[in-house]
Amino acid sequence: MAQLFYDDSCDLNLMKGKTIAVIGYGSQGHAQAQNMKDTGFNVIIGLKDGSKSAVQAKKDGFEVYNVADAAKKADIIQILTPDTIQADMYEKDIKPGLSAGKSIVFSHGFNIHYDLIVPPKDIDVYMVAPKGPGHLVRRVFTEGGGVPCLIAVYQDATGDARKKALAHAGGVGGGRSGILETSFREETETDLFGEQVVLCGGVANLIMAGFETLTEAGYDPEIAYFECLHEVKLITDLIYEGGLDRMRFSISDTAEYGDYVSGPRIIDAGVKARMKEVLNDIQKDKGAAFAKRWIADTKAGYPEFHKLREKNAAHPIEDVGRKLRGMMKWLAK
């Protein structure tokens, strides 16, 4: 059972006198940097030359440097750029600025776990991973709360890596709601699995298959859209608020009965077996087929990725959705 930590376990004094360089100022970068600054940490921003994010970062009160200079100045370097560019950026701009006792921080373990980044042995390597999108991490913090965080230690050169991870997570706001300790392996492999089989790949393909089944049977595409896509938010909100029990309590008895008798006909033992195949493709000790395939595609200029993106964007549900969402003026807010 994972242990939960709160603010009383986070010694923020460990960050006194230290400079934290947040590399990247996108969704997570802007949120975590601002939260830490508001906590009292000394935060600077590192960006690629010519980055459009520099204007906003300066407007938000940060000193902005190029990545190499930020890495040299900082005691703690938090890499919050996309997975696909981290390894090259590390080798070119970050690695030359490292020295004994510094720390590198990640919010996803992909590059460390799959050995794309191999840090020197004399630095700390840890993770602080808020379990929410950046805009939520920032908004909840400004409202006085915090998004739960994961922490993990990959390399403890100084003996203080775990304490620094807790303090860092506390500065982001995780100590207000709960900090869970994990490992780089567990975070990386479960995160990829969840995205692929449930949250993104599973949900998206279930929606599209349901839409196709109804429209191929002669039902109106607009009705199919509402039943198979639009109402997903209503159900997932109930699940988010109170688990499956809350959802089943709130829906009609007819819907609940249909859940029990038909759900297992769709998500059956065969689906679970294929989920295990996906997990095997993700796991490092099983060959890391997914990571190798994704890395090869990025190095080739993303040919498979772009082809798949175009194919899915052309699905009929997208045309129907654009038309219907155009009628829902409240969505613009």
Side-chain angles (χ1 to χ4, degrees):
M1 188 78 177
Q3 185 176 356
L4 273 172
F5 300 93
Y6 296 93
D7 279 336
D8 57 1
S9 298
C10 304
D11 183 3
L12 304 187
N13 289 321
L14 283 170
M15 296 301 182
K16 281 187 177 178
K18 290 183 170 58
T19 297
I20 302 171
V22 171
I23 310 300
Y25 203 70
S27 175
Q28 285 293 331
H30 91 279
Q32 294 195 47
Q34 289 186 63
N35 288 6
M36 288 190 288
K37 181 166 76 75
D38 288 352
T39 300
F41 295 175
N42 180 32
V43 182
I44 62 174
I45 305 298
L47 297 171
K48 293 187 296 183
D49 290 330
S51 172
K52 296 178 181 177
S53 299
V55 174
Q56 185 61 51
K58 290 176 182 176
K59 189 182 296 184
D60 292 335
F62 293 102
E63 294 180 7
V64 178
Y65 301 89
N66 63 40
V67 176
D69 287 342
K72 288 175 187 173
K73 288 178 178 293
D75 304 289
I76 298 169
I77 303 150
Q78 186 172 10
I79 305 175
L80 289 175
T81 56
D83 291 333
T84 51
I85 68 171
Q86 286 185 13
D88 288 342
M89 179 179 285
Y90 169 81
E91 288 294 332
K92 177 176 177 288
D93 296 318
I94 296 173
K95 187 176 179 180
L98 296 178
S99 57
K102 287 195 174 189
S103 302
I104 298 182
V105 187
F106 296 85
S107 285
H108 181 40
F110 189 96
N111 278 271
I112 289 290
H113 181 57
Y114 293 120
D115 300 321
L116 301 173
I117 293 176
V118 182
K121 297 295 184 184
D122 57 1
I123 67 166
D124 291 340
V125 181
Y126 64 86
M127 180 191 300
V128 173
K131 298 310 292 178
H135 71 277
L136 193 65
V137 172
R138 180 58 181 159
R139 190 187 81 207
V140 172
F141 184 90
T142 61
E143 293 171 349
V147 169
C149 283
L150 302 181
I151 62 164
V153 174
Y154 178 78
Q155 191 165 280
D156 186 5
T158 66
D160 287 331
R162 186 168 178 270
K163 292 178 181 178
K164 283 192 279 189
L166 281 167
H168 195 133
V172 170
R176 299 176 178 181
S177 54
I179 300 167
L180 287 81
E181 189 166 13
T182 183
S183 66
F184 271 68
R185 174 183 182 272
E186 185 173 58
E187 184 278 333
T188 301
E189 294 180 356
T190 58
D191 186 75
L192 293 175
F193 177 82
E195 291 168 351
Q196 292 175 31
V197 308
V198 180
L199 304 176
C200 304
V203 168
N205 282 275
L206 191 64
I207 288 170
M208 290 189 293
F211 177 87
E212 291 167 6
T213 301
L214 287 177
T215 55
E216 289 166 7
Y219 297 100
D220 286 339
E222 292 78 9
I223 299 298
Y225 178 89
F226 277 114
E227 292 301 330
C228 296
L229 187 152
H230 181 78
E231 292 192 36
V232 168
K233 182 183 186 308
L234 307 178
I235 299 300
T236 54
D237 280 352
L238 291 170
I239 295 171
Y240 175 79
E241 291 165 6
L244 297 176
D245 281 347
R246 170 68 182 273
M247 179 270 287
R248 286 166 174 156
F249 173 80
S250 300
I251 60 179
S252 70
D253 289 347
T254 305
E256 185 180 358
Y257 180 70
D259 170 0
Y260 298 143
V261 300
S262 297
R265 295 173 63 192
I266 305 303
I267 308 302
D268 59 10
V271 172
K272 189 173 179 181
R274 290 189 292 278
M275 286 182 174
K276 290 181 179 179
E277 292 174 5
V278 172
L279 181 58
N280 286 341
D281 284 347
I282 289 168
Q283 290 174 319
K284 187 177 178 180
D285 59 4
K286 300 287 179 63
F290 170 77
K292 291 176 180 176
R293 179 176 175 179
W294 175 225
I295 293 161
D297 195 56
T298 64
K299 291 185 181 299
Y302 303 96
E304 183 184 29
F305 177 62
H306 290 312
K307 184 177 180 181
L308 292 170
R309 176 183 277 174
E310 290 170 8
K311 177 185 175 182
N312 281 270
H315 193 280
I317 200 170
E318 298 291 15
D319 287 333
V320 175
R322 275 187 287 271
K323 181 177 76 173
L324 292 176
R325 290 191 299 272
M327 299 162 56
M328 304 175 202
K329 302 304 181 184
W330 67 89
L331 292 179
K333 298 178 182 179

